[in-house]
Amino acid sequence: MKEKLVVIGNGMSGLRTIEDLLEINKDKYDITIYGEEPHVNYNRIMLSYILSTEKTFEDTIINHLLWYEQNNITLHKGDKIVSIDKTNKTIKSESGKIESYDKLLIATGSTAFIPKTKGSDLENVIAFRTKADVDAIISTIRKDKTAVVVGGGLLGLEAAYGIAKHGIKTILVHRSGSILSQQLDSTGGKLLQRNLEKYGIEFKLNTTIKEISGDGIVEKVEFTDGVCVESNLVVFATGIIPNTKLALDASLNCNKGILVDDFLKTSDDSIFAIGECVEHDGNTYGLVSPLYEQAKVLAKVLANKKTDGYEGSTLSTRLKISGVDLFSAGDYLGDVTTEDLILLDERAGIYKKLVIYENKIIGIVLYGDTNDASWYLKLLKEHTDISDLRTKILFGKSALSGDSGDSGHGGNDINSMSDDEEVCGCNGVCKGDIVKAIKEKDLKSLSDVKSCTKAGASCGSCLGLVEQILINTLGDEYKASEEGICSCTILGHKDIKKTIDDGEFETVYNVFKSLDWKTADGCSKCRPAINYYLLVKYNDDKYKNDRRSALVNDRIFANIQKDGTYSVIPRIWGGLTSPQELKDIADIAVKYDVPTVKFTGGQRLDMLGVKKEQLEPMWKDLNDCGFVSGQAYAKGLRTVKTCVGNVWCRFGTQDSMNMGVIIEKLTWGSWTPHKFKIAVSGCPRNCAEATIKDLGIIGVDSGWEISIAGNGGIKVRVTDFLCKVETDEQLLTYVKAFMQFYREDAYYLERTAHWVERTGLQYVKDVMLDKQKVSYYANKFEISQKSAQVDPWAKAIEEGFTKEFNPIVINPEDSFSFEAKEI
């Protein structure tokens, strides 16, 4: 008969223990799990991605319900355990369930620490610890209010970044003089602060909150430096406290955390504990790697397998904040007895620091380039003498190729990695775990490895290394292949595009049938992609755009906001308008009582807070005034940003305003794989910011310089220079050709920056610097635009599509009575 194992806590450390246990022996226990939250196990590290809307909650799930079912695990979600009876070996839940156990695992994690500040008990004072916290923050933030985040550690920075990504003015308060001081030294902290300031985050260092005030809810925040701000939200990210209440109530030995021995056993022989709630050898841990190291040991203990026990962890941190990779380990601050080896390139955003004591690495800080993090950590752990490596070590392992020396230097990077070197910090996966899974489970693709080991399945920064391990392990058996675009198919974009290009299809369903889709109707990931590929092949006149296959904003022709209202942005050609147009927009905004009118970064006016039933009449009024949709929602041309050029500016060399208008009127309405932004600057001073656009054009004395594949988003990318042209006619030809080549060649939802990085700049240049190919693609673009340049607002009204926007109202006099009558 199986033993009964009960787990209190449905989080990452407890579930990792169960995963490792099932790998060793899946038949030893009857497993029951109680979770306080109403969710399956998800990755808390990725909460910031949900807050910034870069990922959905679904993307963060580690163990879906199917996993529990397949492993015969009983899960009780949203049912908190309130007591442990050691004598009778039972636990009691909040719902009243009594559960017996043979072995009990406490994995209750930690709780957020909110200091006793005056006003900290007001509504909208929120921690940043759970999905519920993220949901509360998103529902509270307002564009007209300032959000205050307290704490400059990892959680505080992620919270501030996530909030700022919504366009909210955000102030981060930190009592220290440097942010992320537990992971970075002051230089690294300043570099990161400078990067985060680009997102509009204001930093108040050496400061904290004096008082939060308001009538039952946050209204104002006063800082210790005397400054006051109006605010409706305060997020505390000021540390965590091990959750020991259950253990204390059950008279288990506790100090800072629940005391455990090297085998993660508490003071009761039948009760074990793991994760942020425990204290081992005087230490508590809040990072993922130590918790997963504990899980490996505990899984062996529970399976009655021999183990040396848990000896504590060498703390190292691998992070990704606002697109910047960070890594730190050991004593990265040093003291008077140590020396520092430093590489700093502020312009490139790279900083490396190795702290040396007696010719051995004792501390590491990496900012921007973390490719050699595992190698440096190996040298630190093995106390390797680096005397012979000092002149090259900061340039990474590749700089040592061919050198002689200790193990781990030079040679093949993957082969020189030990099995216990960590590859994926988010999920605590080492090289040996990946190699073992590849060999034992016959894994052949990157997708297989991600699904099986979870390496690379979270932030994705380690995917390159994971693929190298896959290639190195499989050798000639490895065949590079794309991942399926969704769970409906094993095919990637490349194969799907080729099938569509080579065949004839009338609908998305024809494609699904031809390619043996697993689901007849596809899903929200594949339907928009297939619909786009058909649109590009046949153009709007030969293929009827399937609105049901479009994303919500593309279906409604407006951007939905968090409160369910919409934003309406009319097209303003090249950012150039007139007093009459401004008056028309103002009159319409007044007529429909628009709560917010804002100038956008693309030089247009955004009317926010428009109700769905107002869209049709507002569009008609805008059409009557000569406006068309600005398509701010579309996977297509968004804006053509301009500066005033030589018409007004004394530095201008070309008429950028007029050229911007011409280009926008030439390209509007076009479908592209992702949003597409153009800018035209009248001189190299580049006031229109052309060098961070998908297509950037800069006027020079002798004509125009064209650059491509810029991005001003999460990870800023400066454009690559393409070519220089002398005449306006040549410029317009290149604009048409580049857009059409991108339309046909890139994958759906692939920005130009990612497309060029995937295919290589030379690949694009080989086409765009070939006059015959330029002419070919320019002509195809002209043909596609003949049917594309139809205002979607006017067309939707004409076709009656907007009738679905009207609310359903039933006259009570016409409705049936269902009044209950006595018989």
Side-chain angles (χ1 to χ4, degrees):
M1 185 176 176
K2 292 183 179 181
E3 291 183 77
K4 185 73 177 290
L5 172 62
V6 177
V7 183
I8 304 175
N10 190 35
M12 295 171 69
S13 60
L15 269 289
R16 186 55 172 261
T17 304
I18 299 303
E19 287 181 334
D20 290 346
L21 173 62
L22 292 173
E23 285 287 324
I24 302 170
N25 187 340
K26 61 173 60 178
D27 298 318
K28 184 173 176 59
Y29 292 100
D30 178 8
I31 303 172
T32 299
I33 298 173
Y34 281 82
E36 184 175 344
E37 292 186 75
H39 310 292
V40 292
N41 179 31
Y42 64 91
N43 193 335
R44 292 183 191 278
I45 295 173
M46 298 177 72
L47 284 175
S48 60
Y49 291 96
I50 304 177
L51 181 57
S52 66
T53 70
E54 294 167 58
K55 291 185 182 290
T56 64
F57 178 64
E58 174 70 21
D59 296 324
T60 71
I61 293 175
I62 299 174
N63 303 101
H64 289 77
L65 272 176
L66 182 61
W67 177 84
Y68 295 87
E69 294 169 4
Q70 289 174 337
N71 290 286
N72 299 313
I73 294 172
T74 302
L75 172 63
H76 298 284
K77 295 184 293 181
D79 198 3
K80 180 180 178 181
I81 298 301
V82 295
S83 65
I84 300 171
D85 183 341
K86 294 188 299 181
T87 304
N88 295 307
K89 286 193 171 184
T90 61
I91 58 172
K92 183 179 180 181
S93 76
E94 208 164 44
S95 68
K97 291 186 182 75
I98 304 292
E99 192 88 46
S100 63
Y101 65 84
D102 294 307
K103 288 189 174 68
L104 180 66
L105 172 55
I106 302 175
T108 49
S110 58
T111 56
F113 170 67
I114 297 182
K116 295 294 182 183
T117 304
K118 188 173 181 181
S120 61
D121 57 346
L122 292 175
E123 186 179 344
N124 290 352
V125 173
I126 302 172
F128 183 55
R129 189 75 188 144
T130 66
K131 178 170 186 298
D133 294 333
V134 173
D135 292 340
I137 292 170
I138 291 175
S139 65
T140 303
I141 53 177
R142 284 173 46 183
K143 291 282 179 74
D144 60 338
K145 296 290 184 180
T146 297
V148 177
V149 178
V150 186
L154 174 60
L155 287 178
L157 297 178
E158 290 185 332
Y161 168 73
I163 294 169
K165 284 292 291 178
H166 290 268
I168 308 297
K169 182 180 179 183
T170 307
I171 297 175
L172 186 139
V173 190
H174 189 44
R175 64 170 61 249
S176 168
S178 178
I179 62 173
L180 212 64
S181 51
Q182 296 298 308
Q183 285 81 28
L184 293 177
D185 63 358
S186 59
T187 303
K190 286 174 184 175
L191 287 171
L192 181 58
Q193 179 179 333
R194 200 174 305 157
N195 179 271
L196 288 166
E197 285 171 343
K198 296 176 184 176
Y199 297 93
I201 301 172
E202 177 186 341
F203 287 85
K204 281 185 157 303
L205 304 181
N206 296 311
T207 310
T208 188
I209 287 182
K210 181 179 180 181
E211 180 180 352
I212 307 168
S213 57
D215 186 9
I217 192 169
V218 176
E219 295 176 1
K220 185 183 291 185
V221 177
E222 181 181 354
F223 303 110
T224 51
D225 62 2
V227 175
C228 289
V229 296
E230 289 188 4
S231 173
N232 74 324
L233 171 68
V234 176
V235 178
F236 275 97
T238 45
I240 56 176
I241 304 171
N243 192 351
T244 59
K245 186 178 185 309
L246 265 179
L248 285 168
D249 291 346
S251 299
L252 294 173
N253 292 344
C254 298
N255 189 21
K256 291 180 291 185
I258 304 170
L259 293 174
V260 295
D261 62 16
D262 289 352
F263 303 98
L264 287 306
K265 188 171 67 176
T266 68
S267 53
D268 185 293
D269 288 343
S270 299
I271 302 177
F272 299 82
I274 191 170
E276 293 176 347
C277 64
V278 310
E279 178 181 338
H280 172 266
D281 199 22
N283 296 310
T284 58
Y285 297 97
L287 299 173
V288 172
S289 291
L291 310 190
Y292 284 174
E293 289 172 9
Q294 292 174 4
K296 284 184 179 180
V297 172
L298 182 53
K300 290 180 180 179
V301 171
L302 292 173
N304 294 329
K305 295 290 183 182
K306 185 178 179 181
T307 173
D308 294 331
Y310 176 64
E311 300 176 349
S313 299
T314 299
L315 287 182
S316 64
T317 309
R318 190 189 293 264
L319 309 169
K320 194 183 191 82
I321 300 177
S322 68
V324 178
D325 291 314
L326 310 170
F327 178 86
S328 68
D331 180 7
Y332 54 85
L333 295 177
D335 57 28
V336 293
T337 67
T338 63
E339 55 183 323
D340 299 338
L341 300 183
I342 292 174
L343 184 154
L344 175 61
D345 187 335
E346 293 190 32
R347 186 167 183 177
I350 293 175
Y351 171 58
K352 297 181 179 183
K353 173 183 172 183
L354 302 178
V355 181
I356 311 299
Y357 178 70
E358 294 184 349
N359 285 317
K360 296 178 179 64
I361 298 174
I362 64 167
I364 307 162
V365 176
L366 304 177
Y367 176 99
D369 178 3
T370 60
N371 290 330
D372 289 294
S374 296
W375 178 56
Y376 288 136
L377 185 60
K378 176 181 170 68
L379 297 178
L380 183 151
K381 286 182 175 180
E382 295 180 354
H383 310 292
T384 303
D385 189 311
I386 64 159
S387 301
D388 297 332
L389 313 175
R390 294 175 65 98
T391 58
K392 294 183 178 181
I393 194 168
L394 285 171
F395 299 101
K397 188 190 295 188
S398 60
L400 305 175
S401 182
D403 288 355
S404 60
D406 287 332
S407 61
H409 306 158
N412 184 295
D413 285 355
I414 300 303
N415 285 329
S416 63
M417 286 180 67
S418 61
D419 283 347
D420 62 353
E421 282 191 54
E422 186 177 81
V423 174
C424 177
C426 294
N427 294 298
V429 186
C430 297
K431 175 196 170 185
D433 301 325
I434 299 171
V435 173
K436 182 180 178 183
I438 293 169
K439 290 179 177 178
E440 294 184 357
K441 300 188 177 180
D442 197 28
L443 308 182
K444 298 296 185 185
S445 69
L446 195 57
S447 179
D448 290 342
V449 175
K450 285 168 62 178
S451 299
C452 182
T453 68
K454 297 185 177 65
S458 294
C459 79
S461 60
C462 64
L463 278 174
L465 188 55
V466 174
E467 186 169 27
Q468 288 180 49
I469 294 172
L470 182 65
I471 294 168
N472 193 67
T473 305
L474 291 179
D476 293 339
E477 290 183 53
Y478 176 74
K479 304 293 180 188
S481 62
E482 286 187 79
E483 292 185 52
I485 64 171
C486 66
S487 59
C488 301
T489 177
I490 61 172
L491 298 175
H493 288 277
K494 183 178 180 180
D495 292 330
I496 294 168
K497 276 167 55 70
K498 187 177 188 310
T499 299
I500 291 174
D501 290 342
D502 293 345
E504 293 296 330
F505 306 94
E506 293 182 0
T507 68
V508 293
Y509 305 105
N510 297 149
V511 178
F512 295 158
K513 187 174 181 180
S514 172
L515 294 174
D516 297 324
W517 236 243
K518 297 175 185 177
T519 52
D521 295 324
C523 68
S524 60
K525 289 186 177 179
C526 62
R527 284 175 66 96
I530 305 304
N531 185 53
Y532 169 74
Y533 293 140
L534 290 170
L535 270 172
V536 171
K537 177 175 180 176
Y538 293 113
N539 296 324
D540 300 64
D541 59 333
K542 295 178 182 177
Y543 171 75
K544 184 172 176 56
N545 184 14
D546 184 0
R547 284 203 185 98
R548 293 167 300 175
S549 295
L551 300 174
V552 60
N553 292 338
D554 294 304
R555 286 201 307 272
I556 307 299
F557 307 121
N559 279 322
I560 192 168
Q561 304 301 306
K562 69 175 188 176
D563 62 355
T565 62
Y566 293 83
S567 72
V568 174
I569 303 178
R571 194 168 288 284
I572 295 178
W573 308 104
L576 192 63
T577 187
S578 67
Q580 183 59 51
E581 285 184 342
L582 291 173
K583 184 177 182 300
D584 290 338
I585 292 174
D587 289 342
I588 291 169
V590 170
K591 178 179 178 179
Y592 294 98
D593 195 23
V594 176
T596 302
V597 180
K598 182 186 180 300
F599 285 102
T600 73
Q603 301 175 334
R604 305 195 290 192
L605 280 167
D606 188 355
M607 290 176 277
L608 294 140
V610 180
K611 298 183 177 81
K612 193 173 185 179
E613 59 267 25
Q614 293 178 316
L615 291 175
E616 179 183 359
M618 179 181 275
W619 290 349
K620 187 177 185 308
D621 287 349
L622 286 164
N623 284 158
D624 291 344
C625 293
F627 292 102
V628 297
S629 170
Q631 296 176 300
Y633 49 80
K635 304 297 179 284
L637 178 77
R638 292 289 181 87
T639 61
V640 180
K641 187 174 183 178
T642 66
C643 67
V644 298
N646 64 6
V647 174
W648 293 101
C649 180
R650 56 199 175 94
F651 299 112
T653 59
Q654 299 290 344
D655 187 353
S656 51
M657 280 193 298
N658 182 55
M659 180 52 69
V661 172
I662 292 171
I663 290 174
E664 188 157 1
K665 289 188 174 181
L666 174 73
T667 57
W668 79 277
S670 58
W671 296 96
T672 50
H674 210 305
K675 58 187 175 185
F676 193 93
K677 297 180 180 181
I678 302 175
V680 186
S681 288
C683 78
R685 285 174 175 79
N686 191 25
C687 293
E689 301 170 336
T691 48
I692 55 169
K693 303 300 180 189
D694 296 283
L695 181 59
I697 300 159
I698 296 177
V700 292
D701 289 328
S702 55
W704 302 95
E705 290 183 350
I706 304 172
S707 58
I708 59 172
N711 187 12
I714 296 169
K715 190 171 183 180
V716 177
R717 185 185 193 275
V718 177
T719 51
D720 294 309
F721 177 75
L722 179 65
C723 64
K724 180 180 174 184
V725 296
E726 296 179 357
T727 68
D728 293 354
E729 183 181 0
Q730 289 173 323
L731 172 61
L732 296 176
T733 299
Y734 273 96
V735 169
K736 291 182 286 188
F738 178 71
M739 284 194 72
Q740 185 65 20
F741 182 41
Y742 167 57
R743 292 178 74 220
E744 294 187 22
D745 195 80
Y747 297 156
Y748 181 67
L749 294 185
E750 186 174 41
R751 290 293 299 271
T752 55
H754 302 136
W755 170 54
V756 169
E757 287 176 352
R758 174 176 63 84
T759 62
L761 178 61
Q762 193 56 49
Y763 169 80
V764 178
K765 282 188 171 183
D766 287 344
V767 172
M768 293 303 301
L769 300 182
D770 183 318
K771 290 184 179 179
Q772 191 173 356
K773 291 178 180 177
V774 168
S775 176
Y776 167 78
Y777 282 111
N779 289 335
K780 289 193 72 175
F781 184 79
E782 288 180 1
I783 293 169
S784 72
Q785 286 298 85
K786 289 176 182 177
S787 56
Q789 291 191 322
V790 177
D791 177 39
W793 290 348
K795 186 177 181 181
I797 295 171
E798 179 187 338
E799 294 179 347
F801 173 70
T802 52
K803 296 302 179 189
E804 73 169 49
F805 297 171
N806 298 330
I808 298 173
V809 179
I810 300 175
N811 187 334
E813 295 179 7
D814 296 333
S815 64
F816 293 101
S817 173
F818 295 97
E819 181 181 354
K821 294 184 179 180
E822 189 176 335
I823 298 176

